Every structure is written in C-alpha cells, then in structure tokens.
Amino acid sequence: NQHYVWSINQTIRHLEQNNISWIWLNDYSSHVGEVRQRLIDQACELSYNKLFWIDSDIYWNVDQFMRLYESWHDVISGCYITTANRIAAQDFDRQLLDPEYIRFKREPFEVRSAGFGFMCMKNGIVENIKDPMMPSDSDLNEDISFCLRVKDELGLPIMLDPTIKLDHFRTVSLGWGEV
C-alpha cells in the first residue's frame, strides 16, 4: 500500500533527523497472534523504550506517530475505523465506539480495549505478561485479549487518543468523513 510506504518513509526520516534510534521488526503469517508473538519474542531480546504496532493498512503522519511516541501513558492507541464503521476500540459495555462519540474529545481516555493497528506501549508491558498474544478466552481476538490482560495482570489502563484519527485502507478507504 503506497500510503503505508509513504507513512513509514516520513516517520523514519523524522526519527533519524531527530536522533531517535529505532529498529524495524516485520513478519507475516495468516495467524495474526502467531506473528505478533514472534515479533514480541524478537523485541524482548532488544533494548527499547517503546514498542510500536502499526498495521500495513493504516495511513498516518509523523505528528500522529510522535504524539503516541511522546505520550506518558503505558499503552495508548490512535483511532481508526473498522469495516463495521466503528472505531477499533471497545467501551466498558464491550461495544465498539461510534466515531461521533469522540468528535469533541481532545484528551486520551481509558477504553476496555483497542486495536493494535496503531498502538504504542512502554518497555516492560509485553515482558510482564505470559504469552501475551495467546487469547485468554476463545471468544476474544488477540487485541482484546491482550488489552484485558494488561488491565488484569498489570493493573494498567488502555488509553485511546481521540485526536489521532487514522485512515484505514481495506478494499476502500475507511475514513472519517465529517467526524
């Protein structure tokens, strides 16, 4: 996806111009949890401050990346629309958020879970959860399961930054329209 490549190139250029060291880890599998676990295993052998997850169908700019990178929150995600025309984050009633819900929000807020499409977490999060990408319940996907385990096992909130509104490309762009 050309948007992803543009986003990566701009981000790398910014990181290098600002002497922010980075390491690129990339892998592929038809089983998302399996590939994420392999990437976690690789990351745990490295020295890092932040671990950033970005799906290849997300389009972002450097300011959005840096806002999450510079956040003091332990786990924080940007907002992107799913194929169900909802934000890839759950409220505490287990419902995906309506884009209208965040329209006037300006500060990060706690959610039950958030998608890994554009998520940043501090060092020590994945290291302190046993098998972090193994779903804790067969009814949960790996994103939700991971977020619930961060809350249950580490006592940390999952934060969503409503000012980071990302385009999500599937077969068509899942954008923000008037929101």
Side-chain angles (χ1 to χ4, degrees):
N1 159 342
Q2 73 221 27
H3 302 287
Y4 180 79
V5 172
W6 182 89
S7 296
I8 286 287
N9 286 335
Q10 296 300 310
T11 302
I12 290 170
R13 181 176 296 126
H14 178 82
L15 294 172
E16 289 181 347
Q17 287 172 347
N18 290 280
N19 295 316
I20 300 171
S21 61
W22 59 275
I23 297 170
W24 175 274
L25 299 176
N26 187 35
D27 202 343
Y28 177 78
S29 171
S30 59
H31 186 266
V32 175
E34 186 178 289
V35 74
R36 286 183 181 158
Q37 186 61 54
R38 284 197 308 258
L39 292 169
I40 285 171
D41 293 343
Q42 292 173 41
C44 287
E45 295 180 15
L46 304 170
S47 173
Y48 70 93
N49 295 333
K50 302 277 180 107
L51 187 59
F52 226 110
W53 298 93
I54 305 174
D55 285 355
S56 62
D57 58 0
I58 296 292
Y59 174 52
W60 72 95
N61 64 46
V62 171
D63 292 338
Q64 292 169 321
F65 180 92
M66 292 307 296
R67 182 161 167 92
L68 287 194
Y69 179 80
E70 293 171 346
S71 172
W72 61 270
H73 295 290
D74 294 292
V75 180
I76 188 164
S77 180
C79 301
Y80 58 95
I81 303 293
T82 67
T83 53
N85 205 28
R86 296 287 202 214
I87 297 171
Q90 284 187 331
D91 61 20
F92 289 96
D93 292 327
R94 299 178 181 197
Q95 300 300 310
L96 292 176
L97 297 176
D98 186 320
E100 275 297 314
Y101 179 77
I102 67 162
R103 183 178 212 151
F104 300 107
K105 291 188 177 289
R106 297 290 174 254
E107 297 296 326
F109 61 97
E110 186 174 356
V111 292
R112 179 176 184 258
S113 67
F116 266 59
F118 198 75
M119 180 180 276
C120 182
M121 58 190 71
K122 290 181 179 177
N123 181 311
I125 303 297
V126 296
E127 292 84 351
N128 288 307
I129 297 175
K130 183 177 175 8
D131 300 321
M133 286 299 126
M134 181 68 66
S136 55
D137 182 319
S138 62
D139 293 334
L140 300 176
N141 73 27
E142 62 280 343
D143 296 11
I144 295 170
S145 181
F146 176 84
C147 291
L148 296 178
R149 292 171 72 194
V150 166
K151 179 79 172 173
D152 293 345
E153 295 178 28
L154 305 179
L156 298 172
I158 305 300
M159 303 301 289
L160 184 72
D161 189 328
T163 68
I164 299 176
K165 296 176 180 171
L166 307 148
D167 285 327
H168 187 201
F169 291 88
R170 290 291 178 144
T171 55
V172 297
S173 174
L174 302 172
W176 289 89
E178 297 298 316
V179 179

